[in-house]
């Protein structure tokens, strides 16, 4: 994901009516931290894996709604590097769910022209997950309607470290002048340098941390916190978050007069 941030990165467009009102504008790129699956299950005296299973319904809804509204990029924080420290039965259950949903949702992606991409240290994933991800990435690589990006075994600090390592190796080989390294050249070494930075980051379950997610790319993103647990995240709540974004005044360090060309 690159570092370019411009006012045109927000795609202003009239959206179909939802919840009784039209959206004023839709962002080009939405990133979501899907939080609250475990608490959802605990409140119902269910195993944590049932929260993750029910959260998959919200994933499908958000993917379909983003495609319908013309949101070009959607990044979902599916599994962090820190999540590897969770109980092994939960991790194993999550990996099994990944395989199931990657298999079951391929038709949805192809039907809607959605390209699937993964970012993170995928070498740590079980072979079954890696193979299914690779298969779906290959099958959807020519889709141009939307990019669905799964952050899997992903950590923002790890991404920055690997980018710095690549630059250091290039400098040692004489391919890069250290004095010429810029924010733009650094960003080209991130996982998906062709993807624009998120305009909007949503976190559910009333948590206000970014939790090591897209540390470079979220520099100018608008952050909207939803009190709703992820399995209960509805189309109406998604539209509420989008409307909050539409009402924000994005200046990117400029004055209001500069943004509007006054």
């Amino acid at each position: 994901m690159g570092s370019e941030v411009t006012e045109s990165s927000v795609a202003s467009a009239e959206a179909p009516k939802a919840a009784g009102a039209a959206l004023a504008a839709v962002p080009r790129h939405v990133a979501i931290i899907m939080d609250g699956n475990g608490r959802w299950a605990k409140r119902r005296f269910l195993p944590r894996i049932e929260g993750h299973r029910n959260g998959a319904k919200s994933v499908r809804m958000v993917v379909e709604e983003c495609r319908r509204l013309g949101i070009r990029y959607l990044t979902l924080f599916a599994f962090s590097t820190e999540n590897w420290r969770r109980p092994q039965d939960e991790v194993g259950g999550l990996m099994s769910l990944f395989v199931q949903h990657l298999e079951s949702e391929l038709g949805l992606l192809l039907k809607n022209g959605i390209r699937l991409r993964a970012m993170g240290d995928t070498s740590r994933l079980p072979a079954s997950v890696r193979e299914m991800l690779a298969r779906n990435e290959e099958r959807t690589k020519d889709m141009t309607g939307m990019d669905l990006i799964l952050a899997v075994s992903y950590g923002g600090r790890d991404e920055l470290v690997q980018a710095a390592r690549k630059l250091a190796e290039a400098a040692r080989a004489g391919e890069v002048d250290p004095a010429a390294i810029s924010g733009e050249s650094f960003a080209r070494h991130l996982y998906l340098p062709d993807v624009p930075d998120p305009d909007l980051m949503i976190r559910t379950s009333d948590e206000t941390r970014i939790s090591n997610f897209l540390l470079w790319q979220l520099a100018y993103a608008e952050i909207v916190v939803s009190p709703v647990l992820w399995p209960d995240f509805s189309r109406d709540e998604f539209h509420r978050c989008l409307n909050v974004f539409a009402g924000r005044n994005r200046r990117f360090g400029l004055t209001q007069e500069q943004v509007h060309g006054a």
Side-chain angles (χ1 to χ4, degrees):
M1 298 179 183
S3 61
E4 183 180 359
V5 180
T6 65
E7 191 68 19
S8 62
S9 66
V10 180
S12 295
E14 285 300 315
K17 287 191 175 183
L23 294 173
V26 293
R28 185 182 185 191
H29 183 176
V30 175
I32 303 179
I33 300 178
M34 306 175 292
D35 203 3
N37 290 336
R39 275 167 285 171
W40 184 92
K42 185 177 181 180
R43 290 177 184 179
R44 290 161 177 77
F45 304 100
L46 296 170
R48 288 177 60 87
I49 195 65
E50 291 304 314
H52 299 300
R53 196 184 311 277
N54 280 272
K57 300 173 186 175
S58 298
V59 170
R60 174 182 269 265
M61 178 278 296
V62 165
V63 170
E64 291 179 332
E65 196 63 7
C66 283
R67 182 69 181 97
R68 188 179 74 86
L69 293 173
I71 293 170
R72 185 60 183 79
Y73 301 91
L74 172 64
T75 299
L76 301 177
F77 202 3
F79 191 85
S80 73
T81 50
E82 292 77 17
N83 288 156
W84 289 113
R85 300 197 297 263
R86 290 191 174 186
Q88 285 305 301
D89 59 340
E90 182 177 351
V91 172
L94 276 168
M95 294 301 134
S96 295
L97 280 178
F98 280 149
V99 171
Q100 293 172 25
H101 292 300
L102 286 169
E103 185 170 20
S104 66
E105 299 303 295
L106 177 59
L108 171 72
L109 301 181
L110 293 172
K111 177 182 177 181
N112 289 282
I114 299 172
R115 180 184 182 187
L116 179 70
R117 308 177 73 178
M119 62 185 298
D121 182 7
T122 56
S123 66
R124 297 184 65 181
L125 297 170
S128 58
V129 179
R130 292 199 310 272
E131 290 165 6
M132 193 64 71
L133 272 173
R135 188 198 73 161
N136 286 11
E137 286 183 292
E138 176 63 25
R139 290 285 302 277
T140 63
K141 67 180 181 180
D142 296 323
M143 302 291 101
T144 59
M146 186 177 92
D147 282 19
L148 170 60
I149 300 158
L150 298 182
V152 187
S153 189
Y154 173 84
R157 288 180 174 179
D158 284 353
E159 182 179 23
L160 297 180
V161 167
Q162 67 85 26
R165 186 179 295 124
K166 288 179 181 178
L167 273 172
E169 290 170 352
R172 182 170 61 182
E175 300 169 356
V176 173
D177 177 4
I181 294 174
S182 64
E184 290 74 17
S185 63
F186 183 86
R188 286 196 292 270
H189 291 81
L190 299 174
Y191 285 132
L192 299 178
D194 61 303
V195 176
D197 293 344
D199 303 296
L200 167 64
M201 193 277 278
I202 298 170
R203 180 161 189 165
T204 59
S205 81
D206 224 15
E207 298 289 352
T208 55
R209 302 178 300 278
I210 61 172
S211 294
N212 201 20
F213 184 44
L214 302 177
L215 297 182
W216 179 277
Q217 298 92 334
L218 290 178
Y220 284 99
E222 296 296 322
I223 297 175
V224 176
V225 175
S226 168
V228 178
L229 302 180
W230 179 248
D232 292 328
F233 192 75
S234 65
R235 182 172 176 266
D236 284 351
E237 178 63 8
F238 184 39
H239 277 264
R240 186 193 69 80
C241 294
L242 293 174
N243 278 317
V244 171
F245 166 81
R248 296 280 176 86
N249 186 7
R250 308 187 74 204
R251 297 192 302 273
F252 306 108
L254 304 178
T255 66
Q256 192 67 30
E257 290 74 21
Q258 286 175 305
V259 169
H260 293 289

